[in-house]
mmCIF file of all heavy atoms in Angstrom:
data_model
loop_
_atom_site.group_PDB
_atom_site.id
_atom_site.type_symbol
_atom_site.label_atom_id
_atom_site.label_comp_id
_atom_site.label_asym_id
_atom_site.label_seq_id
_atom_site.Cartn_x
_atom_site.Cartn_y
_atom_site.Cartn_z
ATOM 1 N N THR R 1465 98.207 100.981 103.819
ATOM 2 C CA THR R 1465 98.045 101.125 105.258
ATOM 3 C C THR R 1465 98.962 102.252 105.716
ATOM 4 O O THR R 1465 100.132 102.296 105.330
ATOM 5 C CB THR R 1465 98.419 99.834 105.997
ATOM 6 O OG1 THR R 1465 97.602 98.767 105.525
ATOM 7 C CG2 THR R 1465 98.225 99.984 107.501
ATOM 8 N N CYS R 1466 98.443 103.151 106.534
ATOM 9 C CA CYS R 1466 99.220 104.302 107.003
ATOM 10 C C CYS R 1466 99.172 104.379 108.527
ATOM 11 O O CYS R 1466 98.093 104.337 109.118
ATOM 12 C CB CYS R 1466 98.701 105.601 106.399
ATOM 13 S SG CYS R 1466 99.569 107.084 106.985
ATOM 14 N N VAL R 1467 100.340 104.480 109.138
ATOM 15 C CA VAL R 1467 100.467 104.740 110.571
ATOM 16 C C VAL R 1467 101.159 106.087 110.719
ATOM 17 O O VAL R 1467 102.295 106.249 110.264
ATOM 18 C CB VAL R 1467 101.270 103.641 111.279
ATOM 19 C CG1 VAL R 1467 101.536 104.029 112.738
ATOM 20 C CG2 VAL R 1467 100.533 102.308 111.223
ATOM 21 N N GLU R 1468 100.480 107.059 111.328
ATOM 22 C CA GLU R 1468 101.035 108.401 111.491
ATOM 23 C C GLU R 1468 101.299 108.676 112.963
ATOM 24 O O GLU R 1468 100.488 108.352 113.830
ATOM 25 C CB GLU R 1468 100.082 109.454 110.939
ATOM 26 C CG GLU R 1468 100.646 110.873 111.022
ATOM 27 C CD GLU R 1468 99.746 111.915 110.394
ATOM 28 O OE1 GLU R 1468 98.658 111.535 109.905
ATOM 29 O OE2 GLU R 1468 100.117 113.114 110.394
ATOM 30 N N THR R 1469 102.456 109.298 113.252
ATOM 31 C CA THR R 1469 102.802 109.647 114.620
ATOM 32 C C THR R 1469 102.318 111.051 114.952
ATOM 33 O O THR R 1469 101.972 111.840 114.069
ATOM 34 C CB THR R 1469 104.319 109.582 114.848
ATOM 35 O OG1 THR R 1469 104.946 110.668 114.151
ATOM 36 C CG2 THR R 1469 104.883 108.260 114.353
ATOM 37 N N ALA R 1470 102.349 111.371 116.244
ATOM 38 C CA ALA R 1470 101.923 112.697 116.692
ATOM 39 C C ALA R 1470 102.816 113.792 116.140
ATOM 40 O O ALA R 1470 102.387 114.944 116.023
ATOM 41 C CB ALA R 1470 101.922 112.743 118.217
ATOM 42 N N SER R 1471 104.058 113.456 115.782
ATOM 43 C CA SER R 1471 104.982 114.448 115.228
ATOM 44 C C SER R 1471 104.887 114.536 113.707
ATOM 45 O O SER R 1471 105.650 115.273 113.079
ATOM 46 C CB SER R 1471 106.419 114.119 115.634
ATOM 47 O OG SER R 1471 106.779 112.838 115.181
ATOM 48 N N GLY R 1472 103.978 113.769 113.091
ATOM 49 C CA GLY R 1472 103.740 113.889 111.659
ATOM 50 C C GLY R 1472 104.470 112.907 110.775
ATOM 51 O O GLY R 1472 104.331 112.956 109.555
ATOM 52 N N VAL R 1473 105.245 111.988 111.351
ATOM 53 C CA VAL R 1473 105.917 110.972 110.547
ATOM 54 C C VAL R 1473 104.891 109.934 110.110
ATOM 55 O O VAL R 1473 104.112 109.433 110.927
ATOM 56 C CB VAL R 1473 107.048 110.292 111.345
ATOM 57 C CG1 VAL R 1473 107.700 109.191 110.512
ATOM 58 C CG2 VAL R 1473 108.088 111.316 111.775
ATOM 59 N N LYS R 1474 104.920 109.568 108.814
ATOM 60 C CA LYS R 1474 103.970 108.599 108.277
ATOM 61 C C LYS R 1474 104.706 107.366 107.770
ATOM 62 O O LYS R 1474 105.645 107.471 106.987
ATOM 63 C CB LYS R 1474 103.155 109.212 107.142
ATOM 64 C CG LYS R 1474 102.226 110.332 107.584
ATOM 65 C CD LYS R 1474 101.447 110.893 106.406
ATOM 66 C CE LYS R 1474 100.511 112.005 106.844
ATOM 67 N NZ LYS R 1474 99.758 112.576 105.696
ATOM 68 N N GLY R 1475 104.261 106.218 108.237
ATOM 69 C CA GLY R 1475 104.771 104.953 107.731
ATOM 70 C C GLY R 1475 103.720 104.288 106.879
ATOM 71 O O GLY R 1475 102.526 104.315 107.214
ATOM 72 N N TYR R 1476 104.153 103.696 105.746
ATOM 73 C CA TYR R 1476 103.216 103.091 104.804
ATOM 74 C C TYR R 1476 103.563 101.627 104.564
ATOM 75 O O TYR R 1476 104.732 101.218 104.588
ATOM 76 C CB TYR R 1476 103.259 103.828 103.460
ATOM 77 C CG TYR R 1476 102.785 105.256 103.514
ATOM 78 C CD1 TYR R 1476 103.692 106.309 103.542
ATOM 79 C CD2 TYR R 1476 101.419 105.559 103.552
ATOM 80 C CE1 TYR R 1476 103.257 107.630 103.596
ATOM 81 C CE2 TYR R 1476 100.974 106.869 103.609
ATOM 82 C CZ TYR R 1476 101.903 107.902 103.627
ATOM 83 O OH TYR R 1476 101.475 109.201 103.686
ATOM 84 N N SER R 1477 102.538 100.854 104.302
ATOM 85 C CA SER R 1477 102.702 99.465 103.870
ATOM 86 C C SER R 1477 101.684 99.169 102.781
ATOM 87 O O SER R 1477 100.556 99.668 102.821
ATOM 88 C CB SER R 1477 102.486 98.493 105.031
ATOM 89 O OG SER R 1477 102.404 97.150 104.577
ATOM 90 N N PHE R 1478 102.086 98.353 101.815
ATOM 91 C CA PHE R 1478 101.194 97.898 100.750
ATOM 92 C C PHE R 1478 100.869 96.416 100.922
ATOM 93 O O PHE R 1478 100.411 95.767 99.992
ATOM 94 C CB PHE R 1478 101.842 98.166 99.391
ATOM 95 C CG PHE R 1478 102.005 99.629 99.085
ATOM 96 C CD1 PHE R 1478 103.120 100.313 99.539
ATOM 97 C CD2 PHE R 1478 101.035 100.324 98.381
ATOM 98 C CE1 PHE R 1478 103.283 101.675 99.277
ATOM 99 C CE2 PHE R 1478 101.184 101.683 98.124
ATOM 100 C CZ PHE R 1478 102.310 102.357 98.574
ATOM 101 N N LEU R 1479 101.123 95.916 102.119
ATOM 102 C CA LEU R 1479 100.857 94.508 102.398
ATOM 103 C C LEU R 1479 99.364 94.212 102.418
ATOM 104 O O LEU R 1479 98.938 93.117 102.094
ATOM 105 C CB LEU R 1479 101.491 94.142 103.741
ATOM 106 C CG LEU R 1479 101.642 92.675 104.077
ATOM 107 C CD1 LEU R 1479 102.481 91.964 103.038
ATOM 108 C CD2 LEU R 1479 102.270 92.514 105.458
ATOM 109 N N GLY R 1480 98.565 95.201 102.810
ATOM 110 C CA GLY R 1480 97.118 95.029 102.804
ATOM 111 C C GLY R 1480 96.528 94.958 104.194
ATOM 112 O O GLY R 1480 97.013 94.234 105.051
ATOM 113 N N SER R 1481 95.482 95.740 104.428
ATOM 114 C CA SER R 1481 94.745 95.710 105.698
ATOM 115 C C SER R 1481 93.257 95.813 105.391
ATOM 116 O O SER R 1481 92.861 96.451 104.413
ATOM 117 C CB SER R 1481 95.160 96.872 106.600
ATOM 118 O OG SER R 1481 96.516 96.783 106.968
ATOM 119 N N THR R 1482 92.454 95.216 106.239
ATOM 120 C CA THR R 1482 91.007 95.309 106.083
ATOM 121 C C THR R 1482 90.462 96.398 107.006
ATOM 122 O O THR R 1482 91.110 96.806 107.984
ATOM 123 C CB THR R 1482 90.324 93.983 106.440
ATOM 124 O OG1 THR R 1482 90.530 93.724 107.838
ATOM 125 C CG2 THR R 1482 90.910 92.833 105.622
ATOM 126 N N ALA R 1483 89.247 96.841 106.709
ATOM 127 C CA ALA R 1483 88.593 97.827 107.571
ATOM 128 C C ALA R 1483 88.408 97.264 108.976
ATOM 129 O O ALA R 1483 88.524 97.992 109.974
ATOM 130 C CB ALA R 1483 87.247 98.223 106.966
ATOM 131 N N GLU R 1484 88.130 95.976 109.077
ATOM 132 C CA GLU R 1484 87.947 95.341 110.383
ATOM 133 C C GLU R 1484 89.246 95.354 111.185
ATOM 134 O O GLU R 1484 89.236 95.580 112.407
ATOM 135 C CB GLU R 1484 87.451 93.902 110.205
ATOM 136 C CG GLU R 1484 86.036 93.776 109.657
ATOM 137 C CD GLU R 1484 85.957 94.038 108.154
ATOM 138 O OE1 GLU R 1484 87.020 94.033 107.471
ATOM 139 O OE2 GLU R 1484 84.833 94.266 107.667
ATOM 140 N N GLN R 1485 90.364 95.100 110.521
ATOM 141 C CA GLN R 1485 91.650 95.131 111.218
ATOM 142 C C GLN R 1485 91.974 96.528 111.727
ATOM 143 O O GLN R 1485 92.453 96.695 112.862
ATOM 144 C CB GLN R 1485 92.756 94.642 110.278
ATOM 145 C CG GLN R 1485 92.700 93.155 109.989
ATOM 146 C CD GLN R 1485 93.678 92.741 108.909
ATOM 147 O OE1 GLN R 1485 94.155 93.554 108.126
ATOM 148 N NE2 GLN R 1485 93.980 91.453 108.847
ATOM 149 N N ILE R 1486 91.703 97.537 110.901
ATOM 150 C CA ILE R 1486 91.972 98.915 111.310
ATOM 151 C C ILE R 1486 91.110 99.287 112.505
ATOM 152 O O ILE R 1486 91.581 99.906 113.482
ATOM 153 C CB ILE R 1486 91.720 99.882 110.143
ATOM 154 C CG1 ILE R 1486 92.687 99.600 108.986
ATOM 155 C CG2 ILE R 1486 91.843 101.326 110.605
ATOM 156 C CD1 ILE R 1486 94.146 99.792 109.316
ATOM 157 N N ALA R 1487 89.826 98.920 112.462
ATOM 158 C CA ALA R 1487 88.924 99.232 113.567
ATOM 159 C C ALA R 1487 89.383 98.569 114.863
ATOM 160 O O ALA R 1487 89.296 99.167 115.945
ATOM 161 C CB ALA R 1487 87.502 98.794 113.217
ATOM 162 N N ALA R 1488 89.869 97.340 114.762
ATOM 163 C CA ALA R 1488 90.346 96.637 115.952
ATOM 164 C C ALA R 1488 91.654 97.223 116.463
ATOM 165 O O ALA R 1488 91.908 97.245 117.675
ATOM 166 C CB ALA R 1488 90.520 95.153 115.635
ATOM 167 N N ALA R 1489 92.490 97.708 115.547
ATOM 168 C CA ALA R 1489 93.815 98.199 115.925
ATOM 169 C C ALA R 1489 93.787 99.584 116.546
ATOM 170 O O ALA R 1489 94.632 99.908 117.391
ATOM 171 C CB ALA R 1489 94.726 98.211 114.698
ATOM 172 N N GLN R 1490 92.858 100.421 116.144
ATOM 173 C CA GLN R 1490 92.861 101.812 116.602
ATOM 174 C C GLN R 1490 92.838 101.961 118.126
ATOM 175 O O GLN R 1490 93.669 102.677 118.693
ATOM 176 C CB GLN R 1490 91.717 102.575 115.937
ATOM 177 C CG GLN R 1490 91.996 102.894 114.470
ATOM 178 C CD GLN R 1490 90.802 103.474 113.752
ATOM 179 O OE1 GLN R 1490 89.665 103.312 114.175
ATOM 180 N NE2 GLN R 1490 91.056 104.138 112.631
ATOM 181 N N PRO R 1491 91.937 101.308 118.838
ATOM 182 C CA PRO R 1491 91.962 101.472 120.304
ATOM 183 C C PRO R 1491 93.194 100.858 120.957
ATOM 184 O O PRO R 1491 93.558 101.235 122.081
ATOM 185 C CB PRO R 1491 90.685 100.762 120.763
ATOM 186 C CG PRO R 1491 90.346 99.817 119.663
ATOM 187 C CD PRO R 1491 90.800 100.483 118.405
#
Side-chain angles (χ1 to χ4, degrees):
T1465 302
C1466 178
V1467 173
E1468 183 176 1
T1469 71
S1471 59
V1473 178
K1474 294 180 180 179
Y1476 295 101
S1477 169
F1478 294 86
L1479 195 59
S1481 296
T1482 65
E1484 292 77 15
Q1485 289 172 341
I1486 297 298
Q1490 285 172 339

